[in-house]
Structures are given as structure tokens and as C-alpha cells.
Amino acid sequence: MSSEEKKVIDLSYLQEVASDNSDFMVEMIEIFLAQTPEYMSTLEEAVNTQTWAKIAEMAHKIKPTLAFMGALEAKESMASIEARARGQEDYEGIKKDFAVLKEDFRQIFAGLEQKRAELLG
């Protein structure tokens, strides 16, 4: 990992919950990889149209899965987006934070796909 890259996932929590059961870990990773892109797409549309309630709803849906996958910085950013959307404040900040999260999600997905491949052998 280069000094410019940030660590976006830490699967130690998932490993602990799964008791290192690789089949369970693969299943959880696959669920995240299948569901989250749709949620992110819906969130992006809500951000682009400044639909406060939908921004808050989707951020709320995505946030716990980020914690489960060990993407704690992304989870905190998502929590901040949710809180600001609920208060209908700082739309420009939400847009900026969402743009950063989109890049983080590329890294999260790449890391999870790599871990899935490792677990499948």
C-alpha cells in the first residue's frame, strides 16, 4: 500500500463474527457487493436532485453495512451525510463528501473482491 492510499476496509470484525468461517464471510461479502451498488446509485440520484429525505434514508441503509465490512471512515462519512440530510443543511458539503465516498467505494469493492477471491481459493 503506498503512502497515498488509505486503508478503507478492515475485515477483523467480520472475521470475528464469522468465527473465521470462510463460507459465511464470502456470503456476507457477496451480499454487500450485490446490494450496495444499487443503494449507492439511489443515494447518488438523491444527492444530485437534493432530495433530503431520500439522501438520509439511503445513507442510513448503507451505514451499518460499512461498519460490518470494516470501512469505518466511510461509515463515519455516511453518518455525517445522513445527519446533515436530516437537518437539511450543508448540501454542498454533502455533495463533496459523497464524491469522496464514491472513490472510497471503488477501493472498498476492490478490497472485498480480492478478499472474496482469496477465501474461495
Side-chain angles (χ1 to χ4, degrees):
M1 179 182 304
S2 77
S3 61
E4 292 181 16
E5 286 183 73
K6 57 184 172 180
K7 185 175 182 180
V8 293
I9 59 171
D10 174 1
L11 293 177
S12 58
Y13 179 72
L14 177 58
Q15 290 169 324
E16 182 181 325
V17 169
S19 300
D20 288 321
N21 177 325
S22 60
D23 291 338
F24 178 77
M25 289 179 65
V26 166
E27 185 176 335
M28 292 299 99
I29 290 169
E30 287 176 345
I31 289 170
F32 182 89
L33 292 172
Q35 288 180 344
T36 308
E38 181 179 329
Y39 289 167
M40 282 296 286
S41 178
T42 302
L43 176 57
E44 182 171 27
E45 181 180 325
V47 168
N48 289 338
T49 60
Q50 196 173 346
T51 309
W52 295 109
K54 187 57 96 173
I55 294 169
E57 174 191 348
M58 296 314 298
H60 185 75
K61 280 186 176 184
I62 297 168
K63 187 177 58 180
T65 62
L66 291 170
F68 197 68
M69 290 299 150
L72 300 181
E73 285 184 36
K75 180 219 169 244
E76 291 304 316
S77 291
M78 196 65 74
S80 176
I81 287 172
E82 177 187 1
R84 286 179 284 163
R86 289 195 190 286
Q88 296 187 7
E89 58 191 45
D90 191 22
Y91 176 65
E92 291 304 316
I94 289 173
K95 286 187 350 183
K96 288 177 186 173
D97 288 353
F98 181 75
V100 171
L101 274 173
K102 279 181 59 175
E103 180 55 37
D104 286 350
F105 267 80
R106 284 190 259 287
Q107 294 177 38
I108 291 166
F109 288 144
L112 290 174
E113 287 170 349
Q114 180 181 356
K115 184 63 176 181
R116 179 183 168 275
E118 289 170 10
L119 289 168
L120 290 174

